[in-house]
Amino acid sequence: MQRYWQIYVLLLRNSLIREMAFKANFLLWLVTELLWFFGQIVFVEVLFLHTEHIGDWSKWEVVLLIGTHQIISQVFQAVFYVNLANLPELVRTGRMDLMLLLPVDTQFAVSAYRFGLDNLVNALVGVAFVVFSLGKLGVVPNALQIGCYATAVFLGAAIHYAIMFTLATLSFWIVRAQGLIYGYFNFLSIARYPDQVFAGVFKFIFSWLIPVIVVANTPARILARSSAQPLGPMLQLASACVLSLILSRFLWLFALRRYSSASS
Amino acid sequence: MSKYFKIFGVGLQNTLVYRWNFLLRTLFDIVPLFGTVYLWRALYGSRQQTIGGYDFGAMVYYFLLTALVSDLITPTDDEWQIAADIRDGQLNALLVKPVDYLKYRVGLFLGNRVTSSCFAVPIVCTLFAFFHTYISFPERFITWPLSVLSLAMAGLLQFFLAYAVAMVAFWLLEISTVVFIVFSFEYFLSGRLFPLDLLPGWLGETLVWLPFTYELYFPVAVFQEKVVGVKLLQGFLIQAGWLVAAWGLGRWMWVRGLRKFQAVGG
C-alpha cells in the first residue's frame, strides 16, 4: 500500500509538471469546464422561470445539487477521467502490453497515471456554489452533516469511477469505444436532477444497478436539510459504491484474460 | 461527380465497421431523453397548464423530435477525423489525388449519416411508439417539404461548423478544447436542453440571430409549426446566411491553413 502511495505521488508530480508545460491548454480546459457549469446554472434559471418547486426542491436547493454534482464529477475527472477515456485506445493499439508489464496492479496503472489539475480548480467552483446556495437557503450545517457530505462526495466519485471503468473495460470486446465514453456523460446527465422526478423501473435501475441518481442527491439532501436522517441514505450509497467497484473489478479481470494484444 | 459517390459508399462502410459503437451510442442517448421527460413531468406536476405555449405532450414531442433530428444530422466523429488527417500528415495522400478535400469529407459525412441513421431510426421510432399519445402531425402539407429543407440545411450547417473547427488543427496541435467550447454553446443554445422559445425577451431575440438556433431548434420548430409567416421566411434566410458563412469560413481557413501545412510524418 505504501509503495502504491509513493508511486502515486511521483505520478502526481509528473502530471503537474506536464500541465505546466502546456499552460494555454490548461487554461482553455478550465474555461471549457466553467462554460459547462454556467450553462447548467442558466438551465436552472430557465426552469425556475416557470415553476417554484421541482418535487420538493426549491431553486437554491437545486443549485446546491448541481454544485454538488460538479464537485463529485470534477474530483472523479481530476483523478481518473483522462486515463479511463484513453483505455480503449490502449487496447486498440496494443500499447496495453506496456501496462501489463509494469510491476504494479494493471488496474492501478491504467487508472491513475495522469492527473487533471484544471478539474480540481473547477471542483472548487462547485464548492463556491454550494456555499453560496447554503447562504441563500439560510442553512448552517453542523459537523455531522459536513462529515457525511465529505464522505458521500468521496463515495460518489468512486461510483463515477466504477461506472466509467466498466464502460471502458467493454472496449476489450468493442474495438472502437468512443460511444461508451459518451455513455458515461449520458448516464451522468441525469445525476444532477432531483431524485424525486424519477419513478418506476427507470428509478430502480439508476438508483441500484447503475446508481447515478443517488450520487449527488444523497449528499445534497443531507447538507441542505438538517431534518434528513443521514444513516439510511449513507448506507445505500456506501453499499452501491462497494458493489459497483467489486463488479467492475471482476469484469476487468475477466476482460484481461481475453486481451490478445494488437499490431506487433 | 461519380468519384464522390464512391466516397459516399466508403462513408457507409466506415460506419458499419464500428456498428457496435453507433448502436450503443444511440441506446445510451435514450437515458438523458428519459431523464428530460421525467424532469418536465415533475415541472408540469398535476397542473393542467402550458409552459411557454407547450403543454406536457407538446414538450415531450419536442424532445423526441430533437432526438430524432440529432440522430439524423449531427456529425459524430468528423471533426476529430479531419483534425487527425491534418495533424498526422494523412492529408498528403489526399492532396496528391484529384479530389477536393471538402467534397471528400462531405461525401464521407453523408455516407456516415445514412448508415448511422439506419441504426438510430428504429430505436427512435420505438420511442415514438411508446409516447404515441403525444404525437401529432403538421396541419398544413407545405410544412413537410419545408421541414425537410430546414433539416438538410441544419445538417450541412452543423457539418461546415465542425469542418471549420477542425481546420484549427493547422495552427494548434490539440483542438479538443476548441471542439468542446463550440460544443458547449451548441449544447445549451441549440435547443437540446429546452425549447429556445422558453427564454425571456431579449435573450430569445438574440438567439434568433445566432447560428446555434439553426442547428437543431429551427427544423423542429418548423415541423411543430411554431414559426409561421414572416418569421418563417426570416428564419430560412438567417439559416441560409449562416450556412454560406460557415462554408466560407471553412474554405477560407483551408486555404490559409494549407499555406502553413507542414505535412508532418509525410
Side-chain angles (χ1 to χ4, degrees), chain B residues 152-204:
Chain B
M153 278 170 39
L156 284 175
L157 174 60
Q158 288 204 25
F159 173 77
F160 287 135
L161 281 177
Y163 184 81
V165 167
M167 287 298 117
V168 174
F170 279 119
W171 292 270
L172 293 180
L173 261 181
E174 223 343 273
I175 64 151
S176 40
T177 46
V178 185
V179 171
F180 279 113
I181 287 174
V182 174
F183 180 62
S184 48
F185 280 106
E186 288 175 336
Y187 187 79
F188 291 110
L189 302 181
S190 72
R192 209 176 275 267
L193 220 46
F194 52 85
L196 297 179
D197 45 355
L198 290 191
L199 286 172
W202 63 272
L203 213 57

Short mmCIF file of all heavy atoms in Angstrom, two decimals, chain B residues 152-204:
data_model
loop_
_atom_site.label_atom_id
_atom_site.label_comp_id
_atom_site.label_asym_id
_atom_site.label_seq_id
_atom_site.Cartn_x
_atom_site.Cartn_y
_atom_site.Cartn_z
N ALA B 152 -32.18 19.55 -43.85
CA ALA B 152 -30.98 19.38 -44.67
C ALA B 152 -30.01 20.53 -44.44
O ALA B 152 -28.79 20.32 -44.31
CB ALA B 152 -31.37 19.30 -46.14
N MET B 153 -30.55 21.75 -44.38
CA MET B 153 -29.67 22.90 -44.17
C MET B 153 -29.03 22.84 -42.78
O MET B 153 -27.86 23.19 -42.63
CB MET B 153 -30.44 24.21 -44.37
CG MET B 153 -30.52 24.52 -45.84
SD MET B 153 -31.61 25.84 -46.39
CE MET B 153 -31.53 27.12 -45.26
N ALA B 154 -29.79 22.39 -41.79
CA ALA B 154 -29.25 22.27 -40.44
C ALA B 154 -28.10 21.27 -40.41
O ALA B 154 -27.06 21.51 -39.78
CB ALA B 154 -30.34 21.85 -39.46
N GLY B 155 -28.28 20.14 -41.13
CA GLY B 155 -27.23 19.13 -41.17
C GLY B 155 -25.96 19.68 -41.78
O GLY B 155 -24.86 19.51 -41.24
N LEU B 156 -26.10 20.37 -42.92
CA LEU B 156 -24.92 20.93 -43.58
C LEU B 156 -24.28 22.02 -42.72
O LEU B 156 -23.05 22.12 -42.66
CB LEU B 156 -25.30 21.48 -44.96
CG LEU B 156 -25.50 20.39 -46.01
CD1 LEU B 156 -25.99 21.00 -47.32
CD2 LEU B 156 -24.21 19.60 -46.24
N LEU B 157 -25.13 22.83 -42.07
CA LEU B 157 -24.59 23.87 -41.19
C LEU B 157 -23.75 23.24 -40.08
O LEU B 157 -22.63 23.68 -39.82
CB LEU B 157 -25.74 24.69 -40.59
CG LEU B 157 -25.35 25.74 -39.54
CD1 LEU B 157 -24.40 26.76 -40.13
CD2 LEU B 157 -26.59 26.43 -38.99
N GLN B 158 -24.28 22.18 -39.46
CA GLN B 158 -23.52 21.50 -38.40
C GLN B 158 -22.21 20.96 -38.95
O GLN B 158 -21.17 21.06 -38.31
CB GLN B 158 -24.33 20.33 -37.83
CG GLN B 158 -25.48 20.77 -36.97
CD GLN B 158 -25.89 19.69 -35.98
OE1 GLN B 158 -25.10 18.84 -35.61
NE2 GLN B 158 -27.12 19.74 -35.52
N PHE B 159 -22.29 20.39 -40.16
CA PHE B 159 -21.08 19.81 -40.73
C PHE B 159 -20.04 20.89 -41.03
O PHE B 159 -18.86 20.76 -40.69
CB PHE B 159 -21.38 19.02 -42.00
CG PHE B 159 -20.13 18.56 -42.68
CD1 PHE B 159 -19.43 17.49 -42.18
CD2 PHE B 159 -19.63 19.25 -43.77
CE1 PHE B 159 -18.23 17.09 -42.77
CE2 PHE B 159 -18.44 18.86 -44.37
CZ PHE B 159 -17.75 17.77 -43.87
N PHE B 160 -20.47 22.00 -41.66
CA PHE B 160 -19.50 23.05 -42.04
C PHE B 160 -18.88 23.69 -40.80
O PHE B 160 -17.71 24.05 -40.79
CB PHE B 160 -20.14 24.11 -42.93
CG PHE B 160 -20.40 23.62 -44.32
CD1 PHE B 160 -21.61 23.86 -44.96
CD2 PHE B 160 -19.43 22.91 -45.02
CE1 PHE B 160 -21.85 23.41 -46.25
CE2 PHE B 160 -19.66 22.44 -46.31
CZ PHE B 160 -20.88 22.69 -46.92
N LEU B 161 -19.68 23.82 -39.73
CA LEU B 161 -19.12 24.36 -38.49
C LEU B 161 -18.07 23.41 -37.93
O LEU B 161 -16.98 23.83 -37.52
CB LEU B 161 -20.22 24.60 -37.46
CG LEU B 161 -21.05 25.87 -37.66
CD1 LEU B 161 -22.16 25.94 -36.62
CD2 LEU B 161 -20.18 27.11 -37.57
N ALA B 162 -18.40 22.11 -37.94
CA ALA B 162 -17.44 21.12 -37.45
C ALA B 162 -16.17 21.15 -38.30
O ALA B 162 -15.05 21.07 -37.78
CB ALA B 162 -18.06 19.72 -37.49
N TYR B 163 -16.35 21.32 -39.62
CA TYR B 163 -15.22 21.39 -40.55
C TYR B 163 -14.33 22.59 -40.22
O TYR B 163 -13.10 22.47 -40.13
CB TYR B 163 -15.77 21.49 -41.97
CG TYR B 163 -14.73 21.46 -43.06
CD1 TYR B 163 -14.19 20.26 -43.50
CD2 TYR B 163 -14.31 22.65 -43.67
CE1 TYR B 163 -13.25 20.24 -44.51
CE2 TYR B 163 -13.37 22.64 -44.68
CZ TYR B 163 -12.84 21.42 -45.10
OH TYR B 163 -11.91 21.41 -46.10
N ALA B 164 -14.98 23.75 -40.01
CA ALA B 164 -14.21 24.95 -39.70
C ALA B 164 -13.45 24.78 -38.38
O ALA B 164 -12.28 25.18 -38.28
CB ALA B 164 -15.13 26.17 -39.63
N VAL B 165 -14.10 24.19 -37.40
CA VAL B 165 -13.44 23.96 -36.11
C VAL B 165 -12.22 23.05 -36.30
O VAL B 165 -11.15 23.31 -35.76
CB VAL B 165 -14.43 23.33 -35.09
CG1 VAL B 165 -13.68 22.81 -33.88
CG2 VAL B 165 -15.45 24.36 -34.66
N ALA B 166 -12.40 22.01 -37.13
CA ALA B 166 -11.30 21.07 -37.34
C ALA B 166 -10.12 21.75 -38.03
O ALA B 166 -8.96 21.37 -37.82
CB ALA B 166 -11.78 19.88 -38.17
N MET B 167 -10.40 22.78 -38.85
CA MET B 167 -9.34 23.48 -39.55
C MET B 167 -8.35 24.14 -38.59
O MET B 167 -7.21 24.44 -38.95
CB MET B 167 -9.93 24.57 -40.46
CG MET B 167 -10.64 24.05 -41.70
SD MET B 167 -9.54 23.15 -42.79
CE MET B 167 -10.26 21.55 -42.75
N VAL B 168 -8.80 24.38 -37.35
CA VAL B 168 -7.92 24.96 -36.34
C VAL B 168 -6.67 24.08 -36.15
O VAL B 168 -5.61 24.56 -35.75
CB VAL B 168 -8.69 25.14 -35.01
CG1 VAL B 168 -7.77 25.61 -33.89
CG2 VAL B 168 -9.82 26.13 -35.19
N ALA B 169 -6.80 22.80 -36.49
CA ALA B 169 -5.68 21.87 -36.34
C ALA B 169 -4.46 22.29 -37.17
O ALA B 169 -3.34 21.85 -36.90
CB ALA B 169 -6.11 20.46 -36.70
N PHE B 170 -4.65 23.14 -38.17
CA PHE B 170 -3.50 23.65 -38.92
C PHE B 170 -2.60 24.52 -38.04
O PHE B 170 -1.42 24.64 -38.26
CB PHE B 170 -3.96 24.49 -40.12
CG PHE B 170 -4.36 23.67 -41.32
CD1 PHE B 170 -5.64 23.72 -41.81
CD2 PHE B 170 -3.42 22.86 -41.97
CE1 PHE B 170 -6.01 22.98 -42.93
CE2 PHE B 170 -3.78 22.11 -43.08
CZ PHE B 170 -5.08 22.17 -43.55
N TRP B 171 -3.24 25.14 -37.03
CA TRP B 171 -2.49 26.06 -36.17
C TRP B 171 -2.18 25.50 -34.79
O TRP B 171 -1.18 25.83 -34.20
CB TRP B 171 -3.25 27.39 -36.03
CG TRP B 171 -3.30 28.16 -37.32
CD1 TRP B 171 -2.38 29.07 -37.75
CD2 TRP B 171 -4.28 28.07 -38.35
NE1 TRP B 171 -2.74 29.56 -38.98
CE2 TRP B 171 -3.90 28.96 -39.37
CE3 TRP B 171 -5.45 27.32 -38.52
CZ2 TRP B 171 -4.65 29.12 -40.54
CZ3 TRP B 171 -6.19 27.49 -39.68
CH2 TRP B 171 -5.78 28.38 -40.67
N LEU B 172 -3.12 24.67 -34.28
CA LEU B 172 -2.93 24.12 -32.94
C LEU B 172 -2.79 22.60 -33.03
O LEU B 172 -3.46 21.97 -33.83
CB LEU B 172 -4.12 24.42 -32.04
CG LEU B 172 -4.40 25.86 -31.65
CD1 LEU B 172 -5.63 25.92 -30.77
CD2 LEU B 172 -3.21 26.45 -30.91
N LEU B 173 -1.94 22.03 -32.18
CA LEU B 173 -1.78 20.58 -32.17
C LEU B 173 -3.01 19.91 -31.59
O LEU B 173 -3.49 18.89 -32.06
CB LEU B 173 -0.57 20.22 -31.32
CG LEU B 173 0.72 19.94 -32.08
CD1 LEU B 173 1.82 19.57 -31.11
CD2 LEU B 173 0.52 18.83 -33.11
N GLU B 174 -3.53 20.50 -30.50
CA GLU B 174 -4.60 19.89 -29.73
C GLU B 174 -5.86 20.73 -29.92
O GLU B 174 -5.90 21.87 -29.50
CB GLU B 174 -4.16 19.99 -28.27
CG GLU B 174 -4.35 18.83 -27.35
CD GLU B 174 -5.28 17.75 -27.77
OE1 GLU B 174 -6.49 17.84 -27.51
OE2 GLU B 174 -4.80 16.77 -28.33
N ILE B 175 -6.88 20.18 -30.58
CA ILE B 175 -8.06 21.02 -30.81
C ILE B 175 -9.22 20.66 -29.89
O ILE B 175 -10.29 21.24 -30.00
CB ILE B 175 -8.55 20.96 -32.27
CG1 ILE B 175 -9.03 19.56 -32.62
CG2 ILE B 175 -7.50 21.45 -33.23
CD1 ILE B 175 -10.10 19.58 -33.69
N SER B 176 -9.01 19.72 -28.97
CA SER B 176 -10.17 19.24 -28.21
C SER B 176 -10.83 20.35 -27.40
O SER B 176 -12.05 20.38 -27.26
CB SER B 176 -9.82 18.06 -27.33
OG SER B 176 -8.57 18.23 -26.76
N THR B 177 -10.02 21.30 -26.87
CA THR B 177 -10.65 22.37 -26.11
C THR B 177 -11.57 23.20 -27.01
O THR B 177 -12.69 23.52 -26.63
CB THR B 177 -9.60 23.31 -25.48
OG1 THR B 177 -8.64 23.62 -26.46
CG2 THR B 177 -8.94 22.65 -24.31
N VAL B 178 -11.08 23.53 -28.21
CA VAL B 178 -11.89 24.32 -29.13
C VAL B 178 -13.18 23.58 -29.48
O VAL B 178 -14.28 24.15 -29.47
CB VAL B 178 -11.09 24.62 -30.42
CG1 VAL B 178 -11.87 25.56 -31.33
CG2 VAL B 178 -9.74 25.23 -30.09
N VAL B 179 -13.04 22.27 -29.75
CA VAL B 179 -14.22 21.47 -30.08
C VAL B 179 -15.23 21.53 -28.93
O VAL B 179 -16.42 21.75 -29.15
CB VAL B 179 -13.83 20.00 -30.35
CG1 VAL B 179 -15.06 19.12 -30.47
CG2 VAL B 179 -13.00 19.91 -31.62
N PHE B 180 -14.75 21.37 -27.70
CA PHE B 180 -15.68 21.33 -26.58
C PHE B 180 -16.28 22.70 -26.26
O PHE B 180 -17.41 22.79 -25.80
CB PHE B 180 -15.02 20.72 -25.34
CG PHE B 180 -15.00 19.23 -25.39
CD1 PHE B 180 -13.81 18.54 -25.51
CD2 PHE B 180 -16.18 18.51 -25.38
CE1 PHE B 180 -13.79 17.16 -25.60
CE2 PHE B 180 -16.18 17.14 -25.46
CZ PHE B 180 -14.98 16.46 -25.57
N ILE B 181 -15.52 23.77 -26.52
CA ILE B 181 -16.09 25.11 -26.29
C ILE B 181 -17.24 25.34 -27.28
O ILE B 181 -18.34 25.75 -26.89
CB ILE B 181 -15.00 26.20 -26.42
CG1 ILE B 181 -14.09 26.14 -25.19
CG2 ILE B 181 -15.64 27.58 -26.53
CD1 ILE B 181 -12.90 27.05 -25.25
N VAL B 182 -17.01 25.02 -28.55
CA VAL B 182 -18.07 25.17 -29.54
C VAL B 182 -19.24 24.26 -29.18
O VAL B 182 -20.41 24.65 -29.23
CB VAL B 182 -17.56 24.87 -30.96
CG1 VAL B 182 -18.70 24.88 -31.96
CG2 VAL B 182 -16.50 25.87 -31.36
N PHE B 183 -18.89 23.02 -28.75
CA PHE B 183 -19.94 22.07 -28.42
C PHE B 183 -20.79 22.54 -27.24
O PHE B 183 -22.00 22.34 -27.22
CB PHE B 183 -19.33 20.69 -28.11
CG PHE B 183 -20.34 19.64 -27.76
CD1 PHE B 183 -21.30 19.26 -28.69
CD2 PHE B 183 -20.37 19.06 -26.52
CE1 PHE B 183 -22.25 18.30 -28.38
CE2 PHE B 183 -21.31 18.10 -26.19
CZ PHE B 183 -22.26 17.73 -27.13
N SER B 184 -20.16 23.20 -26.26
CA SER B 184 -20.97 23.64 -25.12
C SER B 184 -21.94 24.72 -25.54
O SER B 184 -23.07 24.75 -25.06
CB SER B 184 -20.09 24.08 -23.94
OG SER B 184 -19.09 24.95 -24.36
N PHE B 185 -21.55 25.60 -26.46
CA PHE B 185 -22.51 26.58 -26.99
C PHE B 185 -23.64 25.86 -27.73
O PHE B 185 -24.81 26.19 -27.58
CB PHE B 185 -21.82 27.58 -27.92
CG PHE B 185 -21.11 28.66 -27.17
CD1 PHE B 185 -19.73 28.68 -27.09
CD2 PHE B 185 -21.82 29.66 -26.53
CE1 PHE B 185 -19.06 29.67 -26.39
CE2 PHE B 185 -21.17 30.66 -25.82
CZ PHE B 185 -19.79 30.66 -25.75
N GLU B 186 -23.25 24.87 -28.54
CA GLU B 186 -24.27 24.13 -29.28
C GLU B 186 -25.22 23.41 -28.33
O GLU B 186 -26.43 23.39 -28.54
CB GLU B 186 -23.61 23.10 -30.21
CG GLU B 186 -22.93 23.74 -31.41
CD GLU B 186 -22.18 22.72 -32.26
OE1 GLU B 186 -21.80 21.65 -31.72
OE2 GLU B 186 -21.97 23.00 -33.45
N TYR B 187 -24.66 22.85 -27.26
CA TYR B 187 -25.47 22.07 -26.33
C TYR B 187 -26.52 22.94 -25.65
O TYR B 187 -27.69 22.56 -25.56
CB TYR B 187 -24.55 21.43 -25.28
CG TYR B 187 -25.23 20.47 -24.35
CD1 TYR B 187 -25.52 19.17 -24.76
CD2 TYR B 187 -25.60 20.85 -23.07
CE1 TYR B 187 -26.15 18.29 -23.92
CE2 TYR B 187 -26.22 19.97 -22.21
CZ TYR B 187 -26.49 18.68 -22.65
OH TYR B 187 -27.11 17.81 -21.79
N PHE B 188 -26.11 24.11 -25.20
CA PHE B 188 -27.04 24.94 -24.43
C PHE B 188 -27.90 25.83 -25.30
O PHE B 188 -29.00 26.21 -24.91
CB PHE B 188 -26.28 25.78 -23.40
CG PHE B 188 -25.69 24.95 -22.30
CD1 PHE B 188 -24.32 24.77 -22.21
CD2 PHE B 188 -26.51 24.32 -21.39
CE1 PHE B 188 -23.78 23.98 -21.21
CE2 PHE B 188 -25.98 23.53 -20.38
CZ PHE B 188 -24.61 23.36 -20.30
N LEU B 189 -27.41 26.21 -26.48
CA LEU B 189 -28.11 27.24 -27.26
C LEU B 189 -28.81 26.70 -28.51
O LEU B 189 -29.44 27.46 -29.23
CB LEU B 189 -27.13 28.36 -27.67
CG LEU B 189 -26.43 29.05 -26.51
CD1 LEU B 189 -25.50 30.14 -27.03
CD2 LEU B 189 -27.43 29.65 -25.54
N SER B 190 -28.70 25.39 -28.78
CA SER B 190 -29.35 24.90 -30.00
C SER B 190 -30.71 24.29 -29.70
O SER B 190 -31.40 23.82 -30.59
CB SER B 190 -28.45 23.87 -30.69
OG SER B 190 -28.43 22.68 -29.94
N GLY B 191 -31.09 24.27 -28.42
CA GLY B 191 -32.42 23.74 -28.09
C GLY B 191 -32.41 22.31 -27.63
O GLY B 191 -33.43 21.67 -27.51
N ARG B 192 -31.22 21.78 -27.36
CA ARG B 192 -31.11 20.39 -26.92
C ARG B 192 -31.65 20.22 -25.50
O ARG B 192 -32.23 19.21 -25.16
CB ARG B 192 -29.63 20.01 -26.94
CG ARG B 192 -29.34 18.57 -27.19
CD ARG B 192 -27.84 18.40 -27.28
NE ARG B 192 -27.36 18.66 -28.62
CZ ARG B 192 -27.21 17.71 -29.53
NH1 ARG B 192 -27.50 16.47 -29.24
NH2 ARG B 192 -26.76 18.00 -30.72
N LEU B 193 -31.46 21.24 -24.68
CA LEU B 193 -31.79 21.15 -23.26
C LEU B 193 -33.21 21.64 -22.98
O LEU B 193 -33.89 21.14 -22.10
CB LEU B 193 -30.79 21.98 -22.47
CG LEU B 193 -30.29 21.43 -21.14
CD1 LEU B 193 -29.92 19.96 -21.27
CD2 LEU B 193 -29.11 22.24 -20.67
N PHE B 194 -33.65 22.66 -23.72
CA PHE B 194 -35.02 23.16 -23.57
C PHE B 194 -35.38 23.91 -24.85
O PHE B 194 -34.50 24.40 -25.55
CB PHE B 194 -35.14 24.09 -22.36
CG PHE B 194 -34.12 25.19 -22.33
CD1 PHE B 194 -34.33 26.38 -23.02
CD2 PHE B 194 -32.93 25.03 -21.64
CE1 PHE B 194 -33.38 27.38 -23.00
CE2 PHE B 194 -31.96 26.03 -21.62
CZ PHE B 194 -32.20 27.21 -22.31
N PRO B 195 -36.69 24.00 -25.16
CA PRO B 195 -37.10 24.75 -26.35
C PRO B 195 -36.69 26.21 -26.20
O PRO B 195 -36.91 26.81 -25.15
CB PRO B 195 -38.62 24.62 -26.36
CG PRO B 195 -38.95 23.54 -25.42
CD PRO B 195 -37.84 23.45 -24.43
N LEU B 196 -36.08 26.76 -27.24
CA LEU B 196 -35.50 28.10 -27.11
C LEU B 196 -36.55 29.18 -26.88
O LEU B 196 -36.23 30.24 -26.35
CB LEU B 196 -34.65 28.42 -28.34
CG LEU B 196 -33.45 27.51 -28.54
CD1 LEU B 196 -32.69 27.90 -29.80
CD2 LEU B 196 -32.51 27.56 -27.34
N ASP B 197 -37.81 28.92 -27.27
CA ASP B 197 -38.80 29.98 -27.08
C ASP B 197 -39.25 30.10 -25.61
O ASP B 197 -40.09 30.93 -25.29
CB ASP B 197 -40.01 29.82 -28.02
CG ASP B 197 -40.52 28.40 -28.07
OD1 ASP B 197 -39.90 27.51 -27.45
OD2 ASP B 197 -41.55 28.16 -28.73
N LEU B 198 -38.66 29.28 -24.72
CA LEU B 198 -38.93 29.47 -23.30
C LEU B 198 -38.10 30.62 -22.73
O LEU B 198 -38.36 31.10 -21.64
CB LEU B 198 -38.57 28.20 -22.50
CG LEU B 198 -39.43 26.97 -22.69
CD1 LEU B 198 -39.08 25.95 -21.63
CD2 LEU B 198 -40.90 27.34 -22.59
N LEU B 199 -37.08 31.02 -23.47
CA LEU B 199 -36.20 32.07 -22.96
C LEU B 199 -36.93 33.41 -22.98
O LEU B 199 -37.69 33.70 -23.90
CB LEU B 199 -34.93 32.16 -23.81
CG LEU B 199 -33.95 31.03 -23.57
CD1 LEU B 199 -32.83 31.08 -24.59
CD2 LEU B 199 -33.37 31.11 -22.17
N PRO B 200 -36.67 34.24 -21.97
CA PRO B 200 -37.36 35.52 -21.91
C PRO B 200 -36.82 36.51 -22.94
O PRO B 200 -35.66 36.42 -23.35
CB PRO B 200 -37.06 36.01 -20.49
CG PRO B 200 -35.78 35.34 -20.12
CD PRO B 200 -35.78 34.02 -20.83
N GLY B 201 -37.68 37.45 -23.33
CA GLY B 201 -37.45 38.59 -24.22
C GLY B 201 -36.14 38.71 -24.97
O GLY B 201 -35.94 38.01 -25.97
N TRP B 202 -35.25 39.52 -24.42
CA TRP B 202 -34.05 39.89 -25.17
C TRP B 202 -33.17 38.68 -25.47
O TRP B 202 -32.53 38.60 -26.51
CB TRP B 202 -33.26 40.96 -24.41
CG TRP B 202 -32.74 40.48 -23.09
CD1 TRP B 202 -33.39 40.51 -21.89
CD2 TRP B 202 -31.47 39.86 -22.84
NE1 TRP B 202 -32.61 39.97 -20.91
CE2 TRP B 202 -31.42 39.56 -21.45
CE3 TRP B 202 -30.37 39.53 -23.64
CZ2 TRP B 202 -30.32 38.95 -20.86
CZ3 TRP B 202 -29.28 38.93 -23.04
CH2 TRP B 202 -29.26 38.63 -21.67
N LEU B 203 -33.15 37.72 -24.56
CA LEU B 203 -32.31 36.54 -24.75
C LEU B 203 -32.79 35.74 -25.96
O LEU B 203 -32.01 35.34 -26.82
CB LEU B 203 -32.36 35.68 -23.48
CG LEU B 203 -31.11 34.91 -23.11
CD1 LEU B 203 -29.92 35.84 -22.97
CD2 LEU B 203 -31.32 34.15 -21.82
N GLY B 204 -34.11 35.55 -26.01
CA GLY B 204 -34.70 34.86 -27.14
C GLY B 204 -34.46 35.60 -28.44
O GLY B 204 -34.11 35.01 -29.47
#
